[in-house]
């Protein structure tokens, strides 16, 4: 499957799960800020990706669990340097460019862009 | 039994599918407000679509709860899609059919169809009313730092009575 084919399928998943227009789903768009995803939508997206691509996504594999409650990752409302390293190891598909310039915990959602989902699927299919 | 919008479970295939019915009666308060007579129009008592969505949520919710022996606190998290195309009035029977499309530790997705039997035209059988697709969260796996009571407050006595009177054994 080519990159463009994967992008098109991911876009269809997001249009369906988040009731957004196709043209809103750009590679740079963040799921929460730009596309309005809320917590349950992440499970919906996981289910729909599993159905679309025929693989199983383990809990925490695509989206991390309880980052904000983990004192090793977050202190004083900011992701620590060690936390950033661990998150990058756990989530190699995510886009950390914006979070690194402003590591406030409220900005963690920015690592989940449409491009990050495409990246995740490409890695998963490549395994 | 104040907030029960299904009367009887008629079919249950664990982890897959559940069918429930509701008999709509003119003694239900909401039918008199939905819609009352006006100066120019006669009353039109029809089952509110929102309560049919609740009926599907209860049907699908029990199916999802039963899948894990009612150990999970199953809460409705999202109405993914709802289409209601027909009115249902007093004296008719609504049939809800819910199917689990996906389920894991965190929650479940269900697909549902709603049909109606008009007893005055029973020979036509159940006719389609609409579809309702839902998502449920297993609350204890999605706490976001919140604490919830130990006991399963979602599936209370009313649901247990519904299952028992429908001849369904409650796991655990």
């Amino acid at each position: 499957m080519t990159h463009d084919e994967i992008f098109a399928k991911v876009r269809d998943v997001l249009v369906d799960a988040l009731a957004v227009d196709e043209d809103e789903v750009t590679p740079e768009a963040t799921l929460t800020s730009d596309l309005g995803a809320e917590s349950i939508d992440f499970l919906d997206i996981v289910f729909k990706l599993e159905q679309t691509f025929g693989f199983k996504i383990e809990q925490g594999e695509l989206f991390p669990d309880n980052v904000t409650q983990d004192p090793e990752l977050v202190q004083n409302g900011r992701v620590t340097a060690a936390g950033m390293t661990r998150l990058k190891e756990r989530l190699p598909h995510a886009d950390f460019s914006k979070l690194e310039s402003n590591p406030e915990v409220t900005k963690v959602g920015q690592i989940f862009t449409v491009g990050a989902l495409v990246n995740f699927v490409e890695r998963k299919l490549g395994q | 039994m104040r907030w029960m919008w299904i009367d009887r479970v008629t079919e249950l295939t664990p982890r897959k599918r559940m069918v429930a019915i509701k008999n709509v009666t003119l003694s239900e308060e909401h039918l008199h407000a939905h819609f009352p007579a006006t100066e120019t129009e006669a009353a039109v008592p029809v089952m509110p679509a929102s309560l049919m969505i609740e009926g599907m949520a209860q049907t699908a919710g029990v199916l999802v709860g039963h899948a894990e022996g009612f150990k999970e606190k199953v809460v409705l998290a999202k109405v993914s899609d709802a289409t209601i195309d027909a009115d249902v009035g007093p004296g008719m029977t609504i049939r809800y059919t819910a199917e689990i499309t996906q389920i894991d530790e965190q929650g479940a997705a269900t697909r549902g169809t709603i049909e109606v039997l008009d007893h005055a035209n029973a020979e036509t059988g159940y006719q389609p009313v609409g579809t309702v697709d839902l998502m449920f969260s297993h609350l204890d796996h999605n706490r976001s730092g919140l604490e919830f009571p130990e006991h399963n407050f979602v599936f209370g006595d009313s649901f247990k009575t519904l299952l028992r009177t429908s001849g369904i054994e409650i796991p655990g």
Side-chain angles (χ1 to χ4, degrees), chain A residues 37-52:
Chain A
E38 297 179 13
S39 57
I40 192 64
D41 294 322
F42 289 99
L43 181 59
D44 198 5
I45 290 166
V46 165
F47 279 169
K48 286 184 164 65
L49 289 176
E50 286 179 339
Q51 275 188 332
T52 302

Side-chain angles (χ1 to χ4, degrees), chain A residues 58-71:
Chain A
E58 300 301 330
Q59 188 170 353
E61 186 183 350
L62 175 55
F63 304 116
D65 299 328
N66 296 327
V67 169
T68 53
Q69 273 81 51
D70 188 339

Side-chain angles (χ1 to χ4, degrees), chain B residues 67-167:
Chain B
E68 304 299 339
F70 295 107
K71 291 185 177 66
E72 297 288 353
K73 301 178 183 88
V74 176
V75 294
L76 176 64
K78 181 171 171 177
V79 179
S80 303
D81 190 52
T83 306
I84 307 287
D85 291 323
D87 286 337
V88 176
M92 300 182 188
T93 298
I94 303 174
R95 181 164 71 182
Y96 298 103
T97 302
E99 293 174 326
I100 292 176
T101 54
Q102 274 173 290
I103 184 166
D104 70 10
E105 317 83 55
Q106 293 189 77
T110 62
R111 183 170 47 221
T113 56
I114 303 176
E115 300 160 294
V116 63
L117 178 65
D118 179 354
H119 294 275
N121 297 294
E123 66 282 358
T124 61
Y126 278 95
Q127 296 295 309
V129 171
T131 58
V132 178
D133 300 338
L134 303 171
M135 288 210 62
F136 294 88
S137 175
H138 289 152
L139 209 52
D140 289 334
H141 295 269
N142 300 279
R143 287 170 181 261
S144 301
L146 300 173
E147 291 293 329
F148 298 104
E150 275 296 311
H151 74 279
N152 197 333
F153 53 84
V154 176
F155 297 106
D157 290 341
S158 298
F159 280 105
K160 287 176 184 159
T161 301
L162 169 75
L163 289 168
R164 184 172 46 76
T165 56
S166 298

Side-chain angles (χ1 to χ4, degrees), chain A residues 1-123:
Chain A
M1 206 180 298
T2 67
H3 176 85
D4 287 350
E5 286 169 340
I6 292 172
F7 175 79
K9 285 177 184 285
V10 168
R11 184 188 59 206
D12 290 347
V13 162
L14 294 173
V15 166
D16 193 16
L18 304 177
V20 291
D21 292 332
E22 270 193 19
D23 58 8
E24 294 179 75
V25 186
T26 61
E28 302 76 29
T30 58
L31 300 187
T32 48
S33 304
D34 295 327
L35 301 182
E38 297 179 13
S39 57
I40 192 64
D41 294 322
F42 289 99
L43 181 59
D44 198 5
I45 290 166
V46 165
F47 279 169
K48 286 184 164 65
L49 289 176
E50 286 179 339
Q51 275 188 332
T52 302
F53 294 101
F55 50 54
K56 172 76 184 146
I57 301 171
E58 300 301 330
Q59 188 170 353
E61 186 183 350
L62 175 55
F63 304 116
D65 299 328
N66 296 327
V67 169
T68 53
Q69 273 81 51
D70 188 339
E72 286 187 32
L73 299 181
V74 175
Q75 283 173 16
N76 301 320
R78 295 169 78 82
V79 179
T80 62
M84 194 75 77
T85 305
R86 270 187 51 197
L87 279 175
K88 281 184 177 177
E89 284 169 3
R90 269 170 56 187
L91 308 165
H93 49 277
D95 178 354
F96 285 87
S97 55
K98 286 181 184 163
L99 185 64
E100 280 184 310
S101 59
N102 181 8
E104 285 178 39
V105 71
T106 54
K107 308 287 184 190
V108 167
Q110 291 181 336
I111 68 176
F112 297 113
T113 59
V114 175
L117 289 191
V118 173
N119 194 4
F120 174 82
V121 172
E122 281 182 322
R123 284 166 172 269

